[in-house]
Amino acid sequence: MTTVDDAPAGVAATAGVTENEARGRAAELRRIRAQVHAGPSERATAAQKAKGKLTARERIDLLLDEGSFNEVEPLRRHRATGFGLEARKPYTDGVITGWGTVHGRTVFLYAHDFRIFGGALGEAHAYKIHKIMDKAIAAGAPLVSLNDGAGARIQEGVAALAGYGGIFQRNTRASGVIPQISVMLGPCAGGAAYSPALTDFVFMVRETSQMFITGPDVVKAVTGEEITQNGLGGADVHAETSGVCHFAYDDEVTCLEEVRYLLSMLPQNNRENPPAVTAEDPADRGGDVLLDLVPADGNRPYDMRRVIEEIVDDGEYLEVHERWATNLLCSLARFDGHVVGIIANQPQSMAGVLDIEASEKGARFVQMCDAFNIPIVTLLDVPGFLPGVDQEHGGIIRHGAKLLYAYCNATVPRISVVLRKAYGGAYIVMDSQSIGADLTYAWPTNEIAVMGAEGAANVIFRRDIAAAEDPEAKRTEMVKQYKAELMHPYYAAERGLVDDVIDPADTRQTLIRSLAMLRTKHADLPARKHGNPPQ
């Protein structure tokens, strides 16, 4: 038997351990790793499957490129005692952490394993998450959290709460530095919901994932209201009503595929540009269909999504917050292979007006694009801000100012295109030249004015109309006069408020050429710790 003392030169051996003992320990390590990968028990796995959910490792395999996952601290165990914890010390402590690749680019992640303590967070569990978050920030790579946990581990008391505090602090430190994506694949209650709320994007799966601060039992005890978990904080609620969820899907496989697609359109960090691809869609492709797609009559609705499909590469785009604040569209797409953020009024919903929710949605999207070097294209067809007591009392001034602030603060290339109407303060807020748009274009169907011609004529010519023998005929005459003098399509161009009036069919190639010119844009903000945006 060869020992470390008489081993030949170049033969590795562990001090005090024979070759056979080393092989035995390696075999022991393999058995432990197999146990770690298998999870706590077949019963726990069966229970997870019975809920229609995948295991944490199955989710990781779907998210990452095949064979790319590198796990960190798989052998970690908690050191808590009391309440029976000293007898239950499973490996991983209920969270799997590590890094891998998505489309060949590094991504860090952590995934709650609901089979272990219901995915509840304890001290060791939190430390693992803190460590992987720190590594993601240091490496400058996206962080994805696969959430399926029951909140703080009650048996560990304040140590668990402190663990959440460390996560929130790192979420904030990473904000605008690396992309952060939260994927909700199970329950998320109490303070645990605030980490996803601090990240850039939230994905949810219908029926299996929920988010709420206080659950249905507490709601019933305090208010007397009865509601289900999904009714209180399910995917559809947060996708349509609260706006907490950016993307909602019917199953985990589709959800994780879309996370991969989103990552393919984001840079690794705020020091890089989004990944460009070779475009097969010709940059000079015409768009004659746009001439018939958008009615010249400003009162007739149309689907702005069809405009977006016509001008972007291959008609492909990823819409963010598709079902919330539907009067404003926010999408990621490519022009000539380069990623661009598109913000557009949707005439098919509430005539495309801006309201409280649309303002918040747009502001958040503009800030995300600006943080990660994504140029912004704004498509305008906006009749103004939504009037009403509810809007005024709800703070439309404050919320509308969020969108205004976000645009004014953005230093990425910004191009706006006025398709039809652009009235009043909404025109200014939607990235007009006066608030810093680099280039502004207009279609020959544009109407840029303080308000619509009918409303303007009623204000300006009210005495003439009232004194006329035929007030209605006089009103019609004054409306035509106002349109002819102040709302013709070249009025803004004559005054330098738009850079050019373009043929709608040339929109795609005009945007591509303009974005190419602006690709080297550099802008400095005044020295300051940070701004104080409206809240």
Side-chain angles (χ1 to χ4, degrees), residues 416-420 439-448 489-490 492-493 497-504 507 510:
S416 62
V417 183
V418 181
L419 277 60
R420 291 195 313 188
L439 289 167
T440 55
Y441 298 107
W443 286 7
T445 48
N446 83 84
E447 293 182 355
I448 304 174
Y490 305 103
L497 297 176
V498 298
D499 292 290
D500 198 7
V501 178
I502 62 173
D503 185 334
T507 303
T510 299

Side-chain angles (χ1 to χ4, degrees), residues 33 109 115 124 128 148 155 158 186 207 239 244 256 264 272 351-352 401 422 426 449 454 462 480 498 500:
R33 287 193 178 280
L109 65 83
R115 300 173 300 171
K128 289 180 65 175
D148 186 7
Q155 299 94 323
V158 71
E207 302 303 323
V244 170
L256 292 169
S264 75
E272 297 183 7
E454 289 78 8
R462 63 181 181 277
K480 289 181 179 179
V498 298
D500 198 7

Side-chain angles (χ1 to χ4, degrees), residues 370-398:
D370 188 49
F372 295 117
N373 308 311
I374 300 173
I376 300 169
V377 170
T378 304
L379 305 177
L380 284 86
D381 191 347
V382 59
F385 280 95
L386 180 65
V389 175
D390 289 344
Q391 289 290 306
E392 295 294 346
H393 289 185
I396 184 62
I397 297 172
R398 175 168 50 87

Side-chain angles (χ1 to χ4, degrees), residues 188-494:
C188 185
Y194 283 115
S195 176
L198 289 169
T199 60
D200 299 300
F201 298 98
V202 176
F203 288 72
M204 294 187 74
V205 176
R206 294 183 181 91
E207 302 303 323
T208 58
S209 62
Q210 302 88 29
M211 296 174 66
F212 37 69
I213 300 301
T214 54
D217 293 341
V218 176
V219 170
K220 181 179 180 180
V222 175
T223 69
E225 299 173 285
E226 292 192 19
I227 192 167
T228 64
Q229 285 196 347
N230 281 318
L232 181 63
D236 289 328
V237 169
H238 288 310
E240 297 177 8
T241 305
S242 72
V244 170
C245 168
H246 298 78
F247 305 96
Y249 299 99
D250 291 330
D251 59 87
E252 294 188 25
V253 174
T254 304
C255 180
L256 292 169
E257 286 176 353
E258 291 300 296
V259 174
R260 286 176 58 87
Y261 181 45
L262 174 60
L263 285 167
S264 75
M265 305 189 82
L266 299 176
Q268 290 292 89
N269 54 64
N270 64 342
R271 300 182 301 277
E272 297 183 7
N273 291 322
V277 300
T278 301
E280 297 181 0
D281 195 349
D284 59 354
R285 170 175 58 80
D288 290 339
V289 68
L290 294 172
L291 295 166
D292 301 316
L293 185 59
V294 179
D297 181 358
N299 294 319
R300 289 179 57 193
Y302 62 92
D303 190 353
M304 184 65 83
R305 291 189 180 93
R306 293 192 60 194
V307 175
I308 295 173
E309 289 172 2
E310 183 62 29
I311 62 176
V312 303
D313 289 357
D314 304 309
E316 294 182 358
Y317 63 94
L318 178 63
E319 187 172 345
V320 179
H321 270 145
E322 179 181 355
R323 296 162 60 198
W324 182 61
T326 55
N327 42 322
L328 189 76
L329 305 179
C330 297
S331 304
L332 292 170
R334 282 190 165 90
F335 283 92
D336 198 29
H338 295 270
V339 178
V340 172
I342 300 174
I343 299 179
N345 307 108
Q346 172 59 297
Q348 210 171 50
S349 176
M350 298 170 61
V353 297
L354 289 179
D355 63 354
I356 289 173
E357 291 185 344
S359 298
E360 289 190 338
K361 174 179 175 178
R364 177 75 170 171
F365 186 75
V366 169
Q367 289 173 171
M368 185 280 298
C369 289
D370 188 49
F372 295 117
N373 308 311
I374 300 173
I376 300 169
V377 170
T378 304
L379 305 177
L380 284 86
D381 191 347
V382 59
F385 280 95
L386 180 65
V389 175
D390 289 344
Q391 289 290 306
E392 295 294 346
H393 289 185
I396 184 62
I397 297 172
R398 175 168 50 87
H399 293 285
K402 294 179 183 179
L403 181 56
L404 176 61
Y405 187 100
Y407 267 125
C408 290
N409 200 50
T411 60
V412 292
R414 291 155 49 190
I415 303 174
S416 62
V417 183
V418 181
L419 277 60
R420 291 195 313 188
K421 54 190 176 294
Y423 296 158
Y427 153 66
I428 301 172
V429 169
M430 289 288 292
D431 207 18
S432 62
Q433 189 179 99
S434 60
I435 66 168
D438 296 295
L439 289 167
T440 55
Y441 298 107
W443 286 7
T445 48
N446 83 84
E447 293 182 355
I448 304 174
V450 175
M451 62 178 66
E454 289 78 8
N458 287 336
V459 173
I460 297 172
F461 305 113
R462 63 181 181 277
R463 291 181 181 176
D464 296 333
I465 293 171
E469 292 184 7
D470 186 347
E472 198 57 43
K474 187 66 174 179
R475 179 181 290 106
T476 301
E477 178 189 345
M478 294 298 98
V479 168
K480 289 181 179 179
Q481 180 182 335
Y482 184 83
K483 283 186 174 181
E485 293 185 12
L486 295 177
M487 293 183 66
H488 64 80
Y490 305 103
Y491 184 85
E494 290 169 0

Side-chain angles (χ1 to χ4, degrees), residues 93-166:
D93 199 44
V95 64
I96 301 168
T97 62
W99 79 91
T101 61
V102 172
H103 301 300
R105 298 191 302 154
T106 300
V107 172
F108 288 82
L109 65 83
Y110 64 89
H112 298 133
D113 191 340
F114 195 84
R115 300 173 300 171
I116 298 175
F117 298 126
L121 181 140
E123 183 182 32
H125 182 121
Y127 181 87
K128 289 180 65 175
I129 296 175
H130 296 170
K131 176 182 281 190
I132 211 65
M133 293 179 80
D134 289 339
K135 291 184 183 301
I137 295 170
L143 175 72
V144 178
S145 61
L146 305 179
N147 297 272
D148 186 7
R153 196 173 298 169
I154 299 173
Q155 299 94 323
E156 295 194 34
V158 71
L161 296 178
Y164 273 124

